[in-house]
Amino acid sequence: MIRIVCVGKIKERYLTEMIEDYYKRISKYQRIEIIEVKDVGTLESEKSLIEKHLNSKDYIITLEILGKEYSSEEFATKICDIFNHYPNITFVIGSSLGLHEDIKRRANLALSFSKFTFPHGLFRGILLEQIYRAFKIINHETYHK
C-alpha cells in the first residue's frame, strides 16, 4: 500500500481533479490512501498530527528540497526495491513551514523533486504523477517517454 500524508487541504478544483485522476490510475497497480492533516501553523503541532499516521514497519519517504533526486527510471527501481522489503510506503509532504526534524529523522529516505519550491497542491499532483509513471515503467507499459 502507498500512503501519502499531507499537511493541508486542496482548495482548487483543477488540482483536486488532477489528484483524483492520478489516484484512480495508481489504484490499478497498488492500494493508495491520501491522508490530509490539518495545517495548524506550527511544526510541533503538525509533527503530532503526522506521527499518528507513521508506522515503524513502513518505508517512510519525506519530501524535502535538500533530499535525494532521482530520474523517473531510478525512482521506479527504488519503488520496486522498497516493495520487495516493505509492505507499505508512506510519503510525507509538510506544510509551507517544512517538516519537523523528528519527522525527518524517522524517514528512510529524504526525496527531492527539485530545488524549486512548488505550491502544496501542485506538488501533491506531481508526486502522484511520478508514482503512476513509476508503476508504468515497472510494468513495461507505454506512458513514460
Side-chain angles (χ1 to χ4, degrees), residues 4-27:
I4 301 172
V5 179
C6 339
V7 177
K9 294 196 173 286
I10 304 300
K11 298 171 187 84
E12 299 86 355
R13 182 176 168 87
Y14 71 96
L15 292 174
T16 302
E17 289 172 356
M18 176 179 63
I19 290 163
E20 288 172 358
D21 179 47
Y22 283 111
Y23 179 93
K24 287 177 193 170
R25 293 180 190 209
I26 294 166
S27 297

Side-chain angles (χ1 to χ4, degrees), residues 105-124:
R105 279 191 287 276
R106 286 189 68 175
N108 299 89
L109 172 67
L111 177 66
S112 176
F113 282 13
S114 168
K115 292 187 191 293
F116 286 124
T117 301
F118 295 101
H120 180 84
L122 180 60
F123 185 76
R124 194 184 305 183

Side-chain angles (χ1 to χ4, degrees), residues 16-123:
T16 302
E17 289 172 356
M18 176 179 63
I19 290 163
E20 288 172 358
D21 179 47
Y22 283 111
Y23 179 93
K24 287 177 193 170
R25 293 180 190 209
I26 294 166
S27 297
K28 294 175 185 172
Y29 299 96
Q30 186 65 240
R31 284 183 40 229
I32 182 168
E33 178 181 20
I34 297 174
I35 300 163
E36 294 178 333
V37 301
K38 190 171 182 171
D39 187 348
V40 290
T42 69
L43 285 178
E44 191 65 38
S45 297
E46 290 170 1
K47 174 188 117 168
S48 300
L49 296 172
I50 291 168
E51 283 181 328
K52 292 177 184 177
H53 301 285
L54 301 182
N55 184 327
S56 61
K57 295 179 183 173
D58 295 351
Y59 192 91
I60 298 170
I61 300 174
T62 51
L63 284 300
E64 303 178 41
I65 289 174
L66 299 177
K68 182 168 174 51
E69 293 184 17
Y70 291 91
S71 68
S72 293
E73 294 89 350
E74 291 167 337
F75 184 61
T77 299
K78 184 71 176 173
I79 294 290
C80 193
D81 290 344
I82 293 168
F83 276 126
N84 285 331
H85 298 93
Y86 292 83
N88 303 311
I89 300 173
T90 299
F91 291 90
V92 182
I93 304 172
S95 69
S96 61
L97 300 173
L99 288 168
H100 193 282
E101 288 302 317
D102 290 351
I103 300 291
K104 292 179 182 182
R105 279 191 287 276
R106 286 189 68 175
N108 299 89
L109 172 67
L111 177 66
S112 176
F113 282 13
S114 168
K115 292 187 191 293
F116 286 124
T117 301
F118 295 101
H120 180 84
L122 180 60
F123 185 76

Side-chain angles (χ1 to χ4, degrees), residues 29 73 76-77 80 132-145:
Y29 299 96
E73 294 89 350
T77 299
C80 193
Y132 173 68
R133 182 179 298 272
F135 282 112
K136 296 298 267 185
I137 292 169
I138 291 165
N139 289 287
H140 308 288
E141 297 174 3
T142 311
Y143 178 78
H144 177 67
K145 295 176 176 88

